Amino acid sequence: MPKSTLITGCTGQDGSFLAELLLLKGYTVYGLVRRLSSPNVTNIEQVRDRIHLLDGDMTDQSSILTAVKESKPDEIYNLAAQSFVATSFRQPVLTADVDGLGVIRLLEAAKELVPDARIYQASTSELFGLVKETPQNEHTPFHPRSPYGVAKLFAFWACANYREAYGMHVSNGILFNHESERRGLEFLTRKVTHGVARIAKGKWDHIELGNMEAKRDWGYAPEYVEAMWRMLQQPKPDDYVIATGESHSVREFVELAFREVGIEDWETYVRTDPKHIRPAEVYTLCGDSSKAKRILGWQAKTKMPQLVKIMVKADLERVGA
Ligand code: NAP
Ligand code: G4F
């Protein structure tokens, strides 16, 4: 009997890579998708006929209950979120509802219907926010800096609480930034590689960015979904930092991306626009994933320079001649 899994957020970057991974491993894959006026299925196009799509929304308890009832999952991966930090400052209530309360809705449904299911919660390095030490590990204190980070903090502790109170197998993956050719266009890395490709092909003459000095620990998304799966194969639930251990600035990312298309005087093509500056910034992130290496046998392979190459190449192909 194949294992059944429910992935929320299966149309997103991580959800689509995870769906592919779990199909390869022989799982029956169910994906929660919200109704939109135009379906957003680009990322799952290649596996759409092999995933069972279930209507639902993290703000709607009844749809979550129905999805859990129909999929009877052995494993649940909760990846659904309003995941863009900048938007969370403009839509804090929605973000809290989807990213915070949505997790309680899912945990309640699981407690009621599949209490033995193993659950993965997409926690984030945004929890560390104004960092208290570098690198950050599972013991580093949290200090979120955005409504997104605050909602994810609520979700993190909700998961820990359901683990302690009801003995449920719930794990938090504290994932640092991970990117890919499937990354949404508004996120820094994709905004840059997409813009660089259009500039290289003569379609745009500049891109507009915000804080060039912020530093992130950027890894490659397909490797990160493997870590999610490994967490749920452990006999005991736990929390894990997943990161490359290297931190680079936005400026470095931009410079490398332009260099990839042979442009050295990149500053000519970049303008700064204060509208991309956040009310509170996470200045620097760098993760220590030695616990994941020790227990899960997981380690990042792709580092930032290689990631830039992968993303620029994909965007050049997309932009075409
Ligand atoms: P993403 O590409 O933005 O995908 C988010 C997914 O959530 C999409 O499938 C989206 O559906 C769905 N969603 C949004 N609101 C929903 C709602 N109300 N009900 C049901 N589904 C909803 O994000 P990602 O980069 O794959 O990240 C996956 C998860 O990991 C997120 O929880 C994110 O916060 C977290 N995370 C990401 C990173 C990272 O660097 N990528 C790092 C740490 C943690 P639509 O397609 O309909 O919009
Ligand atoms: O790409 P970003 O928008 O990602 P951010 O804020 O780090 O959040 C991402 O990673 C988190 C994990 O740490 C996830 F939890 C979250 O869901 C999301 O996936 O911004 C990266 C950095 C920031 O410091 C931002 O201020 O780039 C800076 N930046 C500078 N100019 C910009 C821009 N970011 C965006 N999106 N657009 C700009 O024009």
Side-chain angles (χ1 to χ4, degrees), residues 9 11-14 34 40 57-58 79 81 83 148 152 175 178:
T11 54
Q13 172 187 261
D14 291 5
R34 56 183 175 155
N40 170 25
D57 195 296
M58 296 306 290
L79 309 184
S83 72
Y148 169 82
K152 287 281 188 178
L175 271 52
H178 47 282

Side-chain angles (χ1 to χ4, degrees), residues 190-205:
R190 186 71 204 294
K191 183 175 174 183
V192 170
T193 61
H194 174 249
V196 162
R198 294 192 74 84
I199 289 168
K201 303 273 184 177
K203 294 183 193 277
W204 281 0
D205 61 7

Side-chain angles (χ1 to χ4, degrees), residues 64-81:
I64 296 174
L65 276 164
T66 306
V68 172
K69 207 177 282 172
E70 286 180 7
S71 56
K72 294 185 196 64
D74 298 291
E75 295 176 11
I76 300 175
Y77 294 86
N78 183 37
L79 309 184

Side-chain angles (χ1 to χ4, degrees), residues 8 14 76-81 83 99 103 106 119-125 127 148 151-153 155-156 159 170-175 178 228 231:
T8 73
D14 291 5
I76 300 175
Y77 294 86
N78 183 37
L79 309 184
S83 72
D99 300 11
V103 178
L106 184 63
I119 302 175
Y120 172 85
Q121 165 59 14
S123 285
T124 163
S125 49
L127 298 177
Y148 169 82
K152 287 281 188 178
L153 184 65
F156 175 94
C159 291
V170 190
S171 295
N172 280 292
I174 307 174
L175 271 52
H178 47 282
M228 298 174 188
M231 284 177 215

Side-chain angles (χ1 to χ4, degrees), residues 67-262:
V68 172
K69 207 177 282 172
E70 286 180 7
S71 56
K72 294 185 196 64
D74 298 291
E75 295 176 11
I76 300 175
Y77 294 86
N78 183 37
L79 309 184
Q82 189 304 94
S83 72
F84 191 39
V85 171
T87 289
S88 78
F89 287 101
R90 293 189 293 272
Q91 299 186 19
V93 176
L94 174 87
T95 305
D97 199 356
V98 177
D99 300 11
L101 284 178
V103 178
I104 292 274
R105 293 186 185 103
L106 184 63
L107 290 169
E108 276 297 307
K111 175 161 76 72
E112 204 58 34
L113 299 167
V114 286
D116 295 330
R118 296 184 173 194
I119 302 175
Y120 172 85
Q121 165 59 14
S123 285
T124 163
S125 49
E126 283 287 305
L127 298 177
F128 298 121
L130 197 63
V131 300
K132 302 287 182 270
E133 61 181 353
T134 294
Q136 297 84 50
N137 63 34
E138 292 79 4
H139 302 291
T140 304
F142 296 139
H143 185 142
R145 292 275 282 173
S146 63
Y148 169 82
V150 171
K152 287 281 188 178
L153 184 65
F154 174 86
F156 175 94
W157 283 115
C159 291
N161 179 243
Y162 275 61
R163 195 158 71 198
E164 292 168 12
Y166 309 116
M168 290 169 67
H169 194 296
V170 190
S171 295
N172 280 292
I174 307 174
L175 271 52
F176 283 61
N177 298 52
H178 47 282
E179 320 289 317
S180 74
E181 56 282 17
R182 295 187 196 170
R183 190 60 144 147
L185 281 168
E186 72 272 58
F187 295 94
L188 184 275
T189 55
R190 186 71 204 294
K191 183 175 174 183
V192 170
T193 61
H194 174 249
V196 162
R198 294 192 74 84
I199 289 168
K201 303 273 184 177
K203 294 183 193 277
W204 281 0
D205 61 7
H206 73 281
I207 50 174
E208 286 171 5
L209 300 175
N211 180 6
M212 301 289 289
E213 309 314 326
K215 294 179 92 176
R216 289 291 181 274
D217 180 328
W218 280 296
Y220 189 39
E223 295 169 13
Y224 285 49
V225 301
E226 168 77 25
M228 298 174 188
W229 176 77
R230 289 190 187 201
M231 284 177 215
L232 297 204
Q233 308 319 304
Q234 300 307 306
K236 287 199 178 137
D238 207 343
D239 305 324
Y240 297 92
V241 161
I242 300 296
T244 69
E246 287 185 10
S247 186
H248 298 276
S249 66
V250 169
R251 182 178 295 281
E252 286 173 83
F253 191 99
V254 172
E255 192 173 340
L256 276 188
F258 274 103
R259 197 172 290 161
E260 220 28 53
V261 295

